[in-house]
Amino acid sequence: MKSITTLLTLLFALPTLALSPGDPVTPDAIAKAQFIKGEPLKTWEAGKPYIITCWATGSNPSVLTLPMLQDLQNLYGKKGLNIIAINVGENDKAKVENFMASQGQRITHSVAFVPSGDTFQTEWVEAAKVTQLPFAFVVKDGRYLYGAHPAKLTGELIDALLAGDPQQQAVLDKMERESVTQSVVSDQLKAYSAAPRPNDADGMEKAISSIAITHPDFIHRPRMMVDVALIERDAF
């Protein structure tokens, strides 16, 4: 039996489409999914936000987010939030059905299954260049607004989606800025770690300077500066 890692490697190879936040999306691919809980989605309801999550039973992080999504369903379902968890990358519907049966009534939001090669895989997962599970697409009024790990789906975001603009756009802009900052910091941390110590204090300093510009309050920056100072001292 192939591991979930192997399945995901096959699943996310060679994306052929492009899907980015702000792009229009239709519910057609989701409507074709095989629903295990809930009813197939036929159309987007105006003004109502949708969270479409990708998950797999063989991905522990995916399984751990299901109760969190259920909490969101309990808190916001009656206010208009719609959650659909779509199983991808496993090609074993019976396994997914058995897993959901084991959950009893703990999970009440919609759950669906798609086989590899399904249009949801190509038009959503591959097109958005998703590389890790779980992943959540946030959709409203026919547009893909935001994509991230489900842990990023804060109450602030859901409240804003339900409230609409200008609150919605303000929170989305804030989250996009935070994502860019995290990406830059991550890249610079890699550059810092890759500097061939103890001979490249300059490379480490450049990485620290970039982090300071993007994230001046980064908690580990003082320690990193001490590391550089020690390396420079030992060089003499």
Side-chain angles (χ1 to χ4, degrees):
M1 180 180 292
K2 294 181 178 178
S3 67
I4 188 66
T5 302
T6 303
L7 288 169
L8 291 177
T9 300
L10 294 172
L11 176 62
F12 302 128
L14 301 175
T16 57
L17 302 173
L19 179 62
S20 302
D23 289 347
V25 287
T26 73
D28 296 351
I30 301 171
K32 296 175 183 177
Q34 301 171 48
F35 274 69
I36 297 170
K37 280 182 174 284
E39 297 296 325
L41 179 66
K42 296 180 180 179
T43 184
W44 306 122
E45 291 189 59
K48 292 188 177 182
Y50 292 78
I51 294 174
I52 314 298
T53 65
C54 307
W55 71 288
T57 64
S59 164
N60 286 334
S62 294
V63 173
L64 291 173
T65 59
L66 290 176
M68 184 201 73
L69 292 169
Q70 185 59 47
D71 288 342
L72 292 179
Q73 178 70 34
N74 294 341
L75 287 170
Y76 297 103
K78 292 183 179 179
K79 297 180 180 180
L81 178 67
N82 295 275
I83 296 176
I84 304 174
I86 302 182
N87 179 275
V88 297
E90 293 194 274
N91 274 333
D92 189 343
K93 184 182 178 185
K95 180 180 179 181
V96 181
E97 290 175 329
N98 290 337
F99 174 83
M100 293 311 304
S102 73
Q103 300 301 301
Q105 293 304 308
R106 286 178 289 182
I107 305 298
T108 63
H109 59 71
S110 295
V111 178
F113 166 85
V114 295
S116 294
D118 184 88
T119 51
F120 178 77
Q121 173 192 316
T122 56
E123 295 178 8
W124 287 71
V125 181
E126 293 179 5
K129 298 180 175 63
V130 176
T131 58
Q132 291 184 323
L133 297 182
F135 186 86
F137 296 91
V138 176
V139 175
K140 185 179 176 184
D141 294 326
R143 290 194 175 275
Y144 165 38
L145 300 180
Y146 180 72
H149 189 286
K152 299 279 189 179
L153 304 176
T154 62
E156 180 185 27
L157 173 61
I158 305 303
D159 286 335
L161 291 168
L162 292 169
D165 286 332
Q167 182 179 343
Q168 173 179 298
Q169 193 57 51
V171 172
L172 287 170
D173 289 344
K174 172 188 173 184
M175 297 185 78
E176 177 61 24
R177 289 193 299 271
E178 291 175 350
S179 294
V180 171
T181 296
Q182 291 172 358
S183 178
V184 171
V185 169
S186 177
D187 288 345
Q188 294 305 322
L189 284 175
K190 291 176 182 177
Y192 172 87
S193 298
R197 300 183 190 187
N199 302 316
D200 193 9
D202 288 344
M204 295 166 68
E205 286 181 327
K206 288 178 182 178
I208 294 171
S209 296
S210 296
I211 291 173
I213 293 171
T214 308
H215 192 349
D217 298 324
F218 184 61
I219 191 171
H220 298 297
R221 191 160 62 91
R223 180 189 59 75
M224 295 164 71
M225 294 171 67
V226 170
D227 287 345
V228 172
L230 292 173
I231 289 171
E232 291 177 333
R233 183 199 65 182
D234 293 343
F236 292 96

